[in-house]
Amino acid sequence: MTSLSRLQKVGTIFTRTRNLIRSGVMKDADKPLWYEVMAAFPPLEEPTYDRKLSTEFPREILYEEDKVRAYFSKTFRNKNTIDLNRQDGFKQTTCYKFITKYQELSKSSQGKSDKELFIDVEEALTSDGVILHRFKNNPKPTAPTNSETEPSNPTSEPS
């Protein structure tokens, strides 16, 4: 009968682990890392095998800086390593500097397109001494010319 208690249907992994600790079979040193977190913050619904799955799709979580991070990742190489021993180690990465500079410039320059802001950020970081390693197949973008920004008239005939 004891083999039936190992089935997933009898209890959750949390309740089985809790009972092993209470009975003394599992020592405190052998306690899994997730146990105390799950004891402090139990799930809203008990994670059992027969729980009904939600039909709702998770909502997309997109932040404003995600488009800047995507542009940076497509255009530049991030050759920096993150020092995980320091609490603010991520602030030294080129990508983080690019995002913060973009946010500064977007607040001060209203009405500029994203493409123009990316060019301004690249120039500002270069003047600050930050080395941006561009991918070989990604040439430096140029600001749009008047002919690109003005709508063309398709009905006019060429002369």
Side-chain angles (χ1 to χ4, degrees):
M1 194 65 165
T2 59
S3 64
L4 292 177
S5 67
R6 294 186 186 130
L7 290 176
Q8 293 178 353
K9 296 179 181 181
V10 174
T12 64
I13 188 76
F14 178 78
T15 57
R16 290 184 301 215
T17 305
R18 182 191 65 209
N19 293 337
L20 287 173
I21 293 170
R22 283 183 184 170
S23 66
V25 175
M26 184 181 285
K27 306 287 186 251
D28 280 341
D30 298 331
K31 192 178 349 179
L33 294 172
W34 53 264
Y35 180 78
E36 289 184 17
V37 175
M38 196 164 174
F41 304 103
L44 296 175
E45 296 180 31
E46 190 73 19
T48 58
Y49 81 99
D50 61 345
R51 184 174 78 179
K52 301 290 185 228
L53 295 178
S54 175
T55 57
E56 296 178 18
F57 287 104
R59 61 185 172 110
E60 289 188 26
I61 302 173
L62 293 175
Y63 296 99
E64 185 66 30
E65 64 263 14
D66 287 343
K67 69 176 179 182
V68 182
R69 189 175 289 112
Y71 172 81
F72 181 85
S73 298
K74 289 178 186 174
T75 310
F76 304 106
R77 289 188 189 134
N78 197 2
K79 291 191 172 190
N80 298 5
T81 55
I82 300 173
D83 186 5
L84 297 177
N85 293 325
R86 296 181 57 192
Q87 190 167 0
D88 62 344
F90 67 93
K91 292 183 179 179
Q92 275 70 39
T93 64
T94 311
C95 184
Y96 183 81
K97 292 176 185 177
F98 193 89
I99 292 170
T100 53
K101 185 60 81 171
Y102 179 87
Q103 290 171 342
E104 290 173 15
L105 292 178
S106 66
K107 287 179 185 174
S108 64
S109 59
Q110 298 295 332
K112 280 193 173 182
S113 69
D114 287 342
K115 190 174 182 180
E116 293 170 336
L117 276 173
F118 290 140
I119 294 169
D120 292 345
V121 169
E122 186 176 348
E123 291 171 355
L125 286 177
T126 305
S127 67
D128 289 347
V130 177
I131 300 170
L132 298 171
H133 299 281
R134 186 176 285 281
F135 285 116
K136 291 179 182 177
N137 58 353
N138 251 336
K140 186 173 181 176
T142 57
T145 60
N146 285 341
S147 62
E148 292 177 359
T149 56
E150 293 175 2
S152 61
N153 190 356
T155 57
S156 64
E157 296 180 15
S159 52

